Amino acid sequence: FPAASPALVENVQGLLDEGYQTGPKRLQAAQKKLASARALAGDDPRLDYAYGLVLLKHGQNKQALTQFEAAIGRAGAPYWPAWQALIWTHLVEKQYDKGLGRLDEFAALVRKAGDQTELTDRQRDAVRWMGQIVEGLDKSVTVKKLHEMIDKHETQLHELLGDELFSTFELGRDLIEERDAELSKQADDSQAAAEKTRARRKQDQAGKLDSDLQDLDKEKANTAKSADEWKEWLDDNLGKADKELARLEKDYRSMEVRSESLRQQYVQIGRDLTALDLQMNTITSTGATGTVVTQTQQRYMQRQNQLINCQAEYNATVGKMAQTAQEGRVAHQQRATIIQKYEKATGQLVKKNAELDKWSNRVADKKKKLDTTAAGKGKGAKAPLARKVVSLKSFVPLELDDEKTRVLAAFGVTPEPLEGAQPDDTKK
């Protein structure tokens, strides 16, 4: 997007500030700001999206859908947040056909984005969100016909995304499994089902790995091979093994970056909670009541929920890293078997790649999960351990305050830090 004029930024900020407060007069004030912003940049999809968020804030979901549809229909580069909000709102409104159909379209759009030879973190983030949406929806519906519909669209998504991106999609599903277990600690049957699902997926992935590489345990008429035939056999099988290892390496590094990002988020949320706790202590000491107290408590609870969600995603990501490391070690061992077989048959040595030993080190690396047992001890804290409402919103919330911050950041507005919060030094 081109740089926004100060007048446009002012109107967008006013639109969100007014619209995020309750009451019909506030909504009317937001509409006036929207009209002024459209006069300056009428074809900017961020305006449609921002007003759609305001409508969601006021509980007008169906009207918000119209705004999100307008945003994705604008000319120019597609605005992914609007696509995600459109899909989410359709599904929350139980418009499953429309929501899943749009999800398929979004998957095709994400797959075609950027350089086709190298996947980006932006693509992986979007696909991980798709996995969360599908798993969250799968857990929130009870009608068999809807489960069949979800399975059908999952198959379609696999075809649209391809194997490499679909592994990220599966990670998104695993994140919801982790969150479900976190929200249902007292429900043993739910945890058992989650473990069963994870075990099945691991088995499927292991089976795929075995099928992608030639079964090296089956002896064939190798004695009749000439030196050239053996060399061709070696190149073919090493090519398959190296391709698989390259894919696993890319997945592992992506998850490594994600886990570090989540760790930093966890630290920052903890700081925000400390700052909010100080604010509540100050408010309590002054005897203040009313809107300020309610808003501060709401922000505290929201950040507390985000802390638990962050922990759940971190745990799932680290678990997936461990699984990927194990798959890498298996692929490494299969590669070594290929080399041993070639050397035994021909007497010719193959140059070893010491770099591959890192997979064994990765498997041995014991990752510690974040601990939130000490979190949420401030005033009014309630640890949401037991899931009370089974809905898509429970698994994949659309955090309106975070989306507001994202829209403002897109227009160059930097959010003010919470009073009492410390600078983030985790990146030093």
Side-chain angles (χ1 to χ4, degrees):
F1 298 102
S5 66
L8 178 58
V9 173
E10 181 181 355
N11 279 296
V12 172
Q13 195 161 12
L15 159 66
L16 291 167
D17 288 343
E18 291 287 350
Y20 266 52
Q21 299 182 63
T22 57
K25 291 184 178 179
R26 295 293 189 178
L27 186 57
Q28 291 172 4
Q31 291 170 344
K32 291 180 181 179
K33 293 291 184 181
L34 174 64
S36 299
R38 287 197 191 282
L40 297 168
D43 58 349
D44 192 324
R46 294 173 296 180
L47 299 182
D48 304 299
Y49 180 63
Y51 188 55
L53 294 177
V54 167
L55 292 170
L56 287 181
K57 189 76 174 179
H58 287 258
Q60 299 183 18
N61 291 11
K62 289 183 172 60
Q63 293 85 337
L65 282 170
T66 302
Q67 296 301 314
F68 299 144
E69 287 282 2
I72 70 168
R74 298 287 183 184
Y79 190 53
W80 289 10
W83 275 94
Q84 291 173 302
L86 176 64
I87 293 164
W88 184 89
T89 309
H90 271 311
L91 296 177
V92 166
E93 287 295 303
K94 299 184 179 181
Q95 299 174 4
Y96 301 118
D97 275 331
K98 291 182 178 179
L100 290 171
R102 286 299 193 185
L103 184 62
D104 291 344
E105 293 179 54
F106 184 46
L109 185 153
V110 170
R111 182 67 186 90
K112 295 177 182 177
D115 184 357
Q116 294 300 298
T117 62
E118 184 70 24
L119 297 175
T120 65
D121 289 340
R122 182 168 174 254
Q123 287 173 296
R124 291 182 184 277
D125 287 345
V127 173
R128 183 168 49 245
W129 175 85
M130 294 178 203
Q132 291 176 289
I133 282 289
V134 169
E135 185 67 18
L137 182 62
D138 199 30
K139 289 186 175 299
S140 63
V141 298
T142 57
V143 180
K144 181 180 178 181
K145 184 177 180 180
L146 292 177
H147 285 291
E148 293 173 350
M149 180 191 301
I150 293 168
D151 290 342
K152 178 181 177 181
H153 280 276
E154 183 179 357
T155 301
Q156 177 72 8
L157 288 168
H158 194 167
E159 295 175 359
L160 290 167
L161 295 170
D163 288 341
E164 188 171 355
L165 269 179
F166 196 72
S167 66
T168 303
F169 177 91
E170 289 286 4
L171 173 59
R173 298 199 70 161
D174 289 343
L175 299 181
I176 298 301
E177 289 283 6
E178 186 82 20
R179 188 171 301 168
D180 184 38
E182 190 69 28
L183 296 173
S184 307
K185 285 183 176 179
Q186 298 176 354
D188 294 338
D189 57 338
S190 178
Q191 285 192 324
E195 289 295 334
K196 183 178 179 181
T197 301
R198 279 196 287 269
R200 175 180 58 79
R201 287 186 186 144
K202 288 180 181 179
Q203 185 177 5
D204 291 345
Q205 289 167 346
K208 182 180 181 302
L209 178 62
D210 290 339
S211 65
D212 286 344
L213 297 173
Q214 182 176 349
D215 186 359
L216 300 173
D217 295 329
K218 293 181 180 179
E219 290 293 338
K220 295 183 180 180
N222 294 325
T223 55
K225 285 191 173 78
S226 66
D228 288 341
E229 288 173 331
W230 269 112
K231 186 62 171 64
E232 182 180 352
W233 177 89
L234 176 69
D235 292 342
D236 179 50
N237 285 281
L238 280 186
K240 292 177 181 178
D242 290 341
K243 182 179 179 181
E244 181 66 14
L245 283 165
R247 181 188 69 80
L248 292 169
E249 174 71 18
K250 188 181 296 184
D251 286 349
Y252 188 92
R253 289 190 178 278
S254 174
M255 287 182 283
E256 197 170 37
V257 171
R258 180 62 179 168
S259 67
E260 176 59 21
S261 173
L262 288 166
R263 188 190 69 79
Q264 292 178 9
Q265 286 180 36
Y266 182 87
V267 172
Q268 186 58 52
I269 293 171
R271 288 172 175 159
D272 290 349
L273 283 170
T274 301
L276 287 166
D277 196 31
L278 290 173
Q279 286 184 19
M280 286 194 289
N281 287 334
T282 302
I283 291 170
T284 302
S285 65
T286 59
T289 58
T291 305
V292 175
V293 175
T294 301
Q295 289 180 345
T296 304
Q297 289 176 339
Q298 287 176 346
R299 290 173 69 190
Y300 190 94
M301 293 301 297
Q302 182 185 46
R303 294 302 274 168
Q304 195 177 37
N305 287 333
Q306 289 173 344
L307 188 74
I308 291 178
N309 289 340
C310 184
Q311 179 204 16
E313 184 172 350
Y314 178 88
N315 292 349
T317 302
V318 169
K320 187 70 173 179
M321 285 172 64
Q323 179 186 333
T324 303
Q326 181 62 40
E327 292 177 12
R329 188 169 70 169
V330 171
H332 177 201
Q333 291 171 342
Q334 290 179 325
R335 188 183 192 278
T337 303
I338 293 170
I339 292 174
Q340 290 171 3
K341 196 169 185 178
Y342 173 80
E343 291 177 341
K344 182 178 179 180
T346 64
Q348 298 181 15
L349 298 179
V350 177
K351 183 178 179 181
K352 301 297 189 295
N353 188 348
E355 177 73 9
L356 297 175
D357 292 338
K358 64 188 174 188
W359 288 109
S360 295
N361 297 331
R362 285 171 172 174
V363 171
D365 186 20
K366 301 297 183 183
K367 298 287 185 181
K368 294 183 179 180
K369 295 184 178 182
L370 293 173
D371 182 12
T372 58
T373 54
K377 293 185 178 180
K379 295 180 181 295
K382 296 180 182 178
L385 295 179
R387 184 180 65 217
K388 295 180 180 179
V389 179
V390 181
S391 67
L392 180 60
K393 286 183 180 180
S394 302
F395 293 113
V396 193
L398 182 64
E399 300 289 0
L400 295 180
D401 288 341
D402 290 346
E403 293 306 306
K404 174 185 176 181
T405 300
R406 175 155 67 164
V407 171
L408 291 175
F411 282 96
V413 179
T414 304
E416 296 182 1
L418 289 170
E419 183 180 351
Q422 299 297 318
D424 186 1
D425 60 358
T426 59
K427 297 182 180 179
K428 292 183 180 179

